[in-house]
């Protein structure tokens, strides 16, 4: 019966071709069609074969952060554009929490976090650095040093993803002496890399990698590597870490160069992705040599401890008010003539993640935080944590980088900020958000209430000495 059906189809196809004036046998047409599409079939097969395999989960650990959801889903809602005085029915609250384990890379969103005196746990403990060599001096000497890297010069850092895996005693493969458990977990760094393509065998395989990425809804193939989060001394010694001077703005901490952990070829591909001309390295803050913060931080004799940080720019924590971001968004140019009526004006969307805060709050009117001096976070179980609001956050061009596309706008939102947010007598830069020093250790969670304990004047104090711009 199947043979009769095939014969009927063959006769029908032959008749149709004859009626159309095409003098060709159906089997010849079929073979020609198969020959034409065979390269595409081969490419799809190659793509399936080239689908990258993810690194195995680190033994004894679980992944930190929200999975498949976000508290920022409605960040553009106009309900966050206005604020008012806090009331029992409408308190000021924490909208969202983020940590940035690798400085200037993509964040990890949390629903809760421990707060240490150095800031949110896991925040900005690592940074990439580029080796910069000086011009020869008059006597022919050349010096080189490591300079930290940020989206200011390397906007593609916005495309670098991170994961934090933390020890989990409930995991089936948990062992106290396990490789990753002993290192307090690990950091996974994932980045896009599009290989060169041509009609060689390697080029075709690379085509397959790119197609596999597109089929998995990623714009580019991704590469990844894993490093210990807080390596013990025996690993530092066995892997040959080096303690080296690292330039961060005007600071010169001695940090751990962990580059020996990373496959050299993979690291070179990361350098290519970022567009760095010189060698790069991965540094971790030395937990025995955190960077001291003075300037506007609380004095040691007042609070009983010296403020210290990891790889943050200046202070342990950065907070920002959602209403303030909405206010900036409302003033961004639209590229169109201004409508006659205010209700006709288009609301420009401004992703709050451009400002890379740790704690996003909602409830206060726009810029109410400008004059905060002390505040308190209170959780649902009534536990609280006091904060020293150290100074305003001065703004550079980094927020011009779109965190989704890694493309830097030439002007906005920095130009708009400069037009009306140069408000601190101690700085010529625009201000948005506040730099914070925790006065004690504790925790914070989405939904926690924030209460202002003291307000007053701020005067920004910058660091001394020559500055290195990352």
């Amino acid at each position: 019966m199947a043979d009769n059906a095939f014969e009927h189809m063959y006769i029908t196809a032959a008749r149709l071709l004859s009626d159309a004036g095409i003098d060709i046998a159906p089997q010849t047409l079929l073979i020609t069609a198969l020959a034409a599409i065979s390269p595409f079939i081969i490419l799809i097969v190659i793509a399936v074969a080239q689908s990258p395999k993810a690194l195995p989960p680190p033994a004894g650990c679980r992944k930190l952060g929200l999975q498949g959801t976000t508290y920022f889903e409605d960040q553009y809602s106009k309900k966050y554009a206005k604020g008012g005085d806090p009331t029992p029915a409408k308190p000021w609250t924490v909208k969202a929490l983020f940590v940035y384990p690798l400085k200037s890379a993509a964040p990890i969103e949390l629903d809760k976090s421990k707060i240490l005196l150095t800031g949110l746990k896991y925040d900005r403990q690592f940074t990439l650095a580029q080796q910069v060599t000086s011009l020869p001096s008059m006597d022919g000497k050349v010096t080189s040093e490591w300079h930290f890297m940020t989206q200011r010069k390397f906007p593609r850092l916005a495309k670098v993803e991170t994961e934090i895996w933390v020890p989990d005693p409930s995991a089936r493969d948990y062992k106290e002496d396990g490789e990753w458990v002993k290192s307090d977990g690990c950091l996974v760094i994932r980045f896009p890399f599009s290989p060169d393509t041509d009609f060689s065998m390697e080029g075709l395989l690379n085509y397959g990698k790119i197609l596999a990425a597109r089929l998995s809804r990623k714009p580019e193939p991704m590469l990844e590597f894993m490093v210990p989060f807080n390596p013990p001394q025996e690993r530092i010694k066995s892997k040959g870490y080096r303690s080296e001077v690292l330039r961060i703005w005007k600071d010169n901490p001695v940090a751990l160069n962990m580059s020996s952990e990373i496959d050299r070829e993979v690291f070179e591909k990361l350098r290519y992705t970022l567009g760095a001309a010189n060698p790069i390295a991965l540094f971790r803050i030395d937990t025995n040599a955190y960077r001291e913060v003075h300037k506007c931080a609380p004095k040691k004799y007042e609070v009983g401890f010296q403020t210290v940080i990891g790889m943050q720019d200046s202070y342990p924590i950065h907070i920002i008010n959602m209403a303030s971001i909405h206010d900036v968004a409302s003033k961004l140019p639209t590229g169109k003539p201004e409508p006659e009526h205010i209700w006709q004006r288009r609301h420009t969307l401004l992703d709050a993640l451009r400002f890379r805060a740790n704690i996003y709050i909602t409830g206060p009117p726009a810029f109410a935080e400008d004059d905060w001096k002390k505040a308190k976070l209170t959780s649902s179980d009534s536990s609280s944590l006091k904060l020293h609001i150290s100074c305003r956050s001065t703004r550079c061009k980094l927020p011009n980088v779109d965190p989704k596309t890694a493309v830097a706008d030439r002007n906005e939102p920095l130009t708009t900020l400069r037009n009306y947010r140069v408000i601190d007598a101690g700085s010529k830069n625009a201000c948005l958000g506040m730099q914070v020093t925790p006065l004690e250790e504790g925790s914070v969670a989405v939904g926690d209430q924030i209460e202002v304990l003291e307000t007053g004047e701020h005067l920004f104090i910058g660091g001394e000495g020559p500055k290195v711009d990352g």
Side-chain angles (χ1 to χ4, degrees):
M1 186 173 181
D3 291 341
N4 291 337
F6 180 78
E7 183 179 355
H8 176 71
M9 290 173 60
Y10 181 87
I11 294 172
T12 301
R15 185 183 301 116
L16 290 172
L17 290 171
S18 177
D19 293 343
I22 301 174
D23 187 17
I24 186 172
Q27 62 265 39
T28 304
L29 182 63
L30 178 62
I31 293 171
T32 303
L34 287 174
I37 66 173
S38 60
F40 299 99
I41 296 174
I42 293 172
L43 194 57
I44 291 174
V45 172
I46 292 175
V48 173
Q50 293 297 307
S51 297
K53 294 182 180 179
L55 293 173
C61 298
R62 62 176 175 83
K63 188 161 71 170
L64 190 72
L66 298 180
Q67 310 297 326
T69 185
T70 174
Y71 290 104
F72 254 22
E73 187 175 8
D74 63 344
Q75 65 158 312
Y76 302 117
S77 172
K78 291 184 178 180
K79 67 182 178 181
Y80 300 118
K82 291 184 178 181
D85 293 334
T87 66
K90 290 186 176 181
W92 296 350
T93 59
V94 173
K95 164 68 175 168
L97 295 170
F98 293 89
V99 290
Y100 308 80
L102 177 63
K103 187 177 183 69
S104 231
I108 296 173
E109 186 174 0
L110 308 174
D111 57 356
K112 58 184 177 181
S113 174
K114 288 184 178 179
I115 291 185
L116 310 177
L117 294 181
T118 54
L120 272 66
K121 190 174 182 180
Y122 305 112
D123 186 50
R124 294 173 171 96
Q125 297 295 291
F126 298 82
T127 187
L128 290 167
Q130 180 179 218
Q131 192 172 43
V132 176
T133 303
S134 69
L135 294 173
S137 63
M138 294 298 292
D139 55 0
K141 291 183 178 179
V142 174
T143 61
S144 65
E145 56 187 9
W146 293 106
H147 289 187
F148 78 123
M149 297 171 67
T150 75
Q151 292 179 29
R152 298 169 187 85
K153 288 185 177 179
F154 304 96
R156 288 275 286 174
L157 270 168
K159 286 287 189 179
V160 177
E161 302 171 0
T162 58
E163 292 177 1
I164 289 289
W165 290 75
V166 298
D168 181 8
S170 66
R172 288 188 303 174
D173 51 1
Y174 177 86
K175 295 180 181 179
E176 288 190 3
D177 61 348
E179 175 187 12
W180 302 113
V181 173
K182 289 194 300 182
S183 297
D184 292 338
C186 71
L187 170 71
V188 175
I189 296 177
R190 186 178 299 111
F191 62 95
F193 177 77
S194 292
D196 294 333
T197 55
D198 52 36
F199 289 102
S200 66
M201 180 54 68
E202 183 179 0
L204 288 174
L205 291 175
N206 290 340
Y207 271 120
K209 292 177 182 178
I210 295 171
L211 181 57
R214 298 290 175 85
L215 292 174
S216 62
R217 298 184 179 181
K218 290 185 178 295
E220 297 180 76
M222 303 292 284
L223 298 176
E224 61 184 3
F225 58 88
M226 186 184 300
V227 296
F229 181 78
N230 188 17
Q233 283 300 317
E234 60 264 27
R235 184 167 188 131
I236 292 174
K237 185 176 181 180
S238 66
K239 291 289 185 177
Y241 292 13
R242 299 189 304 274
S243 293
E244 299 187 67
V245 174
L246 171 68
R247 293 293 304 277
I248 303 179
W249 296 114
K250 298 180 180 181
D251 202 1
N252 299 280
V254 175
L256 293 175
N257 186 335
M258 299 179 65
S259 303
S260 59
E261 289 274 2
I262 307 161
D263 179 83
R264 198 66 241 171
E265 182 179 349
V266 172
F267 213 33
E268 279 298 300
K269 289 177 178 177
L270 174 58
R271 182 175 74 88
Y272 177 84
T273 291
L274 298 178
N278 299 330
I280 65 172
L282 177 67
F283 280 86
R284 195 208 192 284
I285 193 69
D286 187 338
T287 55
N288 296 313
Y290 282 110
R291 299 159 54 210
E292 291 189 359
V293 181
H294 298 276
K295 301 181 289 187
C296 300
K299 303 296 185 287
K300 183 177 180 179
Y301 67 84
E302 295 175 338
V303 296
F305 64 88
Q306 176 60 53
T307 301
V308 292
I309 56 174
M311 298 297 187
Q312 293 94 329
D313 277 351
S314 300
Y315 293 85
I317 298 174
H318 178 209
I319 66 171
I320 200 165
N321 178 8
M322 294 295 293
S324 302
I325 296 173
H326 276 258
D327 192 271
V328 176
S330 71
K331 292 177 171 57
L332 291 174
T334 63
K336 298 179 180 180
E338 196 70 19
E340 179 182 356
H341 302 290
I342 191 169
W343 54 267
Q344 294 176 315
R345 293 177 185 172
R346 176 176 173 269
H347 181 67
T348 304
L349 301 183
L350 182 63
D351 192 340
L353 287 177
R354 287 176 179 261
F355 301 100
R356 302 182 65 79
N358 297 115
I359 302 176
Y360 290 84
I361 59 174
T362 183
F367 311 121
E369 66 274 20
D370 285 345
D371 299 319
W372 294 358
K373 298 289 285 186
K374 288 184 181 179
K376 180 175 70 173
L377 290 169
T378 303
S379 65
S380 57
D381 63 2
S382 298
S383 60
S384 62
L385 186 148
K386 291 183 179 179
L387 305 172
H388 180 274
I389 315 299
S390 302
C391 68
R392 299 178 177 118
S393 298
T394 56
R395 291 297 171 181
C396 62
K397 63 181 181 180
L398 191 148
N400 287 6
V401 178
D402 186 329
K404 291 185 174 64
T405 65
V407 175
D409 190 273
R410 291 183 62 183
N411 301 308
E412 299 298 346
L414 184 58
T415 297
T416 294
L417 284 167
R418 284 174 173 168
N419 286 340
Y420 81 117
R421 288 295 299 167
V422 181
I423 60 169
D424 196 302
S427 175
K428 296 180 181 180
N429 294 324
C431 298
L432 183 66
M434 304 301 289
Q435 298 291 330
V436 175
T437 303
L439 295 175
E440 54 193 334
E441 295 191 342
S443 62
V444 61
V446 172
D448 282 0
Q449 297 183 20
I450 184 164
E451 176 187 354
V452 178
L453 303 178
E454 182 182 329
T455 60
E457 291 293 323
H458 280 285
L459 181 67
F460 182 83
I461 301 174
E464 298 180 355
K467 181 179 74 172
V468 167
D469 187 354

